[in-house]
Amino acid sequence: MQRLLLASTLLISSACWAQGPGERPLPFEFSAYSVGFPSASTENDGDVSQDNYGFNFSYRQPLNQQWLVRYQLDYEYSSFDFDRSRLFGGRLDSWDSKQQLGAGVSFVRPSRDGLTWFIAPRVQWAYADNASFSDGFGYGLLAAATYPVSDTLTLGFGGGYFNDPYDVSVIPVLLVKWQITDKLRLDNPFEPGFSGPGGLELSYAFNPFWEFGLGTAYRAQRFAVEQGSVEIENPLTFLRGTYSNPDNWRLSGYLGYRSDGKMKVHGQFEASQDLDAEAAFGAIFTYNF
């Protein structure tokens, strides 16, 4: 499983706690996205390119008078292009694609004093085409709480436990929602695909239809390969432009810059290669119903 799990569980939570007390959001949401990392040079002059295509489907409803629940299903297909002979000295078997299938549920419990609790378990399978479906199994749990510090600022803190192939980790989580002015907002990114919600974004509502954002995020994907796993780090800075249609759909375009990252191998041997900085781009369509 990837550590993109962190972003996925944050997406579930942030989507739930972003709604106001009197709002009744539409229960279903479907998103489809495409993300491209055209070519990142490695320290041995080889290149690694990656293109991601995926969708995210979720449904939320009241569980009872105290709890809200949100169910999520997501899938991502990634195509890779690299020269095996230049990557880790040819020791790593090559692959052409990676698949990721995940499912999760989040439980949200608001209280009268403003404190809101979250718990979000998740399972996921992430594996290259030279590995099996079962090799990519992983699971995790995110727990957090948020509190409205003021009418315009809500802060939250928690932690996540992630059991990935060949790795177990515990990661702290920070949730922020700060309505600085009527048009300016600082919070966690709200869309899957390009950045994932694991970061911070400053956004500006130009008018009721257009919104622009500047943000930074950290994506780390981990997936099973033959006799091991591969981890790719993607520290990102990005610009976002979003058009929201009154008919409950929106379209976002992203232009980003990935800072120097790393590509790591675990399992059959332990090794790491630096990835040079590169441009990145993406688009996502979302429909609520």
Side-chain angles (χ1 to χ4, degrees), residues 42-115:
T42 67
E43 58 188 355
N44 293 327
D45 298 326
D47 293 332
V48 178
S49 66
Q50 180 180 356
D51 295 309
N52 302 332
Y53 309 92
F55 73 84
N56 185 293
F57 180 78
S58 65
Y59 170 72
R60 56 183 164 188
Q61 67 174 23
L63 189 61
N64 52 40
Q65 293 183 346
Q66 294 182 323
W67 289 90
L68 302 172
V69 63
R70 181 181 176 98
Y71 308 96
Q72 178 176 317
L73 177 69
D74 55 85
Y75 174 80
E76 182 177 273
Y77 176 87
S78 301
S79 62
F80 287 83
D81 186 18
F82 60 90
D83 186 346
R84 175 180 177 272
S85 64
R86 294 186 177 184
L87 194 63
F88 302 106
R91 291 182 293 165
L92 183 64
D93 291 335
S94 62
W95 67 91
D96 295 319
S97 64
K98 178 216 73 177
Q99 297 188 69
Q100 170 199 315
L101 176 66
V105 59
S106 64
F107 301 94
V108 183
R109 187 181 189 277
S111 60
R112 293 182 179 179
D113 61 2
L115 189 66

Side-chain angles (χ1 to χ4, degrees), residues 205-249:
F206 182 74
N207 58 36
F209 305 104
W210 284 97
E211 183 178 78
F212 301 94
L214 170 65
T216 181
Y218 178 84
R219 286 184 55 154
Q221 55 180 312
R222 192 185 190 104
F223 54 93
V225 295
E226 187 175 10
Q227 300 180 2
S229 67
V230 167
E231 182 178 356
I232 301 177
E233 296 179 352
N234 292 317
L236 290 168
T237 302
F238 61 89
L239 294 171
R240 172 181 62 87
T242 298
Y243 172 76
S244 297
N245 188 277
D247 293 329
N248 301 318
W249 62 266

